[in-house]
Amino acid sequence: MAKTPIENRITTSVQLTHPERVYWPDDGVSKQELVDYYALAWPRMAPFVVNRPLALLRCPDGIDGPRFFQKHAWKGINSHIVEITDPQDKESAKLLKIGDFDGLAALVQSAALEIHPWGTTIDHWEKPDMIIMDLDPGEDINWNEVIAAAKEIRERFVALGLASFVKTSGGKGLHVVASLKPAAAWPQVKDTAEAIAHSMSADHPDRYLSVASKAKRAGHIFIDYLRNGRGNTAVAPYSTRARPGAAVSMPIAWEELNDKIGPASFTVRNAAARLGNSRTDPWADFFEAASELKS
């Protein structure tokens, strides 16, 4: 299996220590290879992670070792990972952001194997610029049912005058993301997402759940709208997942969405050809397509 080519790597001032350290043991994916992958992804990934409060899943010994979900600084944190103050919670520990590729490389050096941003930037803390719907299928759900759910969410966004985009989660499902002009506040955005989830569950109770009930998960797709509350997060486009296979959360075109692409089809190892082709950026107009959320 071909590795990500290092010749396309963006220059970074971050010094990787032990670049040969393997983060995904079964797949042999190293710290250096992860930086090389992100160098290819960076031109597309940047708007979705730069100047956004971040939550990080850190795995210092790789995915088989201890893991920590962190929103605040740790001892010895790299200076390219910047601390920021939440304007609504100035007394609590500061949050984290990055501002450039050096920041992303510093996250890799810190073994942050999943990057989970807020759905807004610090330029408009209280006004989200996206709605995120996370489709989480039960174990016995056919993939085509997940695709159908994603397309139904797309139709409901269209009815609200919103353009939507889809990506693999790198885990089990899909994320459908609507692009917003940062005008509506968090409560309105979350209420809109919740209404979509509840209406789909009411219309098709045999297919969809809008509450996180493990007892009822079998045979259903949980439509997780909770990513849209203030301070809640979802895995970033192009972020890796701390799971076997070194899968990434990959934006895809709606036309690509079929049973040949699964939730973990794209990995650190096989993404190079896709990312190297400038004609295949299905989220290129994400922010240009933004509309205001109707009240």
Side-chain angles (χ1 to χ4, degrees):
M1 188 179 296
K3 293 188 176 183
T4 305
I6 63 173
E7 61 267 24
N8 292 324
R9 196 188 318 158
I10 293 174
T11 301
T12 174
S13 64
V14 174
Q15 182 65 44
L16 294 184
T17 59
H18 302 290
E20 76 287 350
R21 177 168 292 158
V22 175
Y23 282 153
W24 284 268
D26 291 346
D27 305 281
V29 177
S30 68
K31 182 188 296 187
Q32 183 65 68
E33 193 171 352
L34 180 54
V35 168
D36 294 339
Y37 158 72
Y38 276 138
L40 287 174
W42 181 247
R44 304 182 187 192
M45 182 181 189
F48 299 98
V49 294
V50 165
N51 289 332
R52 295 176 184 269
L54 303 175
L56 308 167
L57 183 60
R58 296 181 61 224
C59 306
D61 298 321
I63 67 168
D64 293 339
R67 51 184 59 201
F68 313 95
F69 200 70
Q70 293 188 283
K71 299 188 294 182
H72 310 297
W74 53 89
K75 185 177 180 180
I77 192 170
N78 189 287
S79 62
H80 292 286
I81 305 170
V82 181
E83 293 188 82
I84 51 175
T85 300
D86 183 340
Q88 285 196 10
D89 194 7
K90 296 181 179 179
E91 302 304 316
S92 294
K94 292 184 178 180
L95 301 175
L96 303 173
K97 79 173 183 76
I98 60 172
D100 51 27
F101 185 72
D102 283 338
L104 183 57
L107 293 182
V108 174
Q109 169 63 22
S110 302
L113 302 189
E114 295 190 7
I115 303 169
H116 295 248
W118 286 32
T120 195
T121 75
I122 62 173
D123 297 323
H124 41 77
W125 278 85
E126 309 308 327
K127 304 293 177 66
D129 58 11
M130 61 184 70
I131 303 177
I132 303 163
M133 305 297 285
D134 179 1
L135 299 178
D136 185 4
E139 296 294 339
D140 52 348
I141 292 295
N142 183 282
W143 183 240
N144 283 322
E145 295 177 81
V146 183
I147 293 174
K151 290 180 177 178
E152 183 165 346
I153 290 175
R154 182 191 189 188
E155 291 173 2
R156 291 176 187 252
F157 277 141
V158 167
L160 295 172
L162 301 177
S164 60
F165 299 76
V166 64
K167 66 185 179 77
T168 63
S169 68
K172 296 190 301 178
L174 291 168
H175 294 170
V176 181
V177 187
S179 177
L180 296 180
K181 289 183 177 178
W186 288 106
Q188 184 183 349
V189 171
K190 184 178 178 182
D191 286 350
T192 298
E194 183 176 6
I196 291 172
H198 288 334
S199 63
M200 287 178 66
S201 178
D203 291 346
H204 305 286
D206 57 327
R207 278 188 258 166
Y208 305 132
L209 287 177
S210 57
V211 292
S213 170
K214 289 186 178 181
K216 298 179 180 179
R217 186 68 61 89
H220 291 79
I221 299 170
F222 172 44
I223 303 171
D224 185 354
Y225 63 87
L226 297 172
R227 310 290 180 175
N228 300 288
R230 189 184 193 278
N232 297 122
T233 62
V235 72
Y238 305 102
S239 172
T240 52
R241 303 307 302 266
R243 307 180 184 201
V248 303
S249 181
M250 180 63 73
I252 59 177
W254 283 105
E255 295 74 23
E256 295 180 278
L257 189 56
N258 57 47
D259 57 10
K260 294 180 181 179
I261 291 181
S265 289
F266 298 100
T267 70
V268 170
R269 286 275 171 85
N270 69 20
R274 182 179 182 86
L275 294 174
N277 187 343
S278 61
R279 294 172 296 176
T280 57
D281 182 1
W283 285 32
D285 62 345
F286 183 93
F287 295 101
E288 289 76 10
S291 300
E292 285 193 22
L293 186 61
K294 299 172 184 177
S295 58

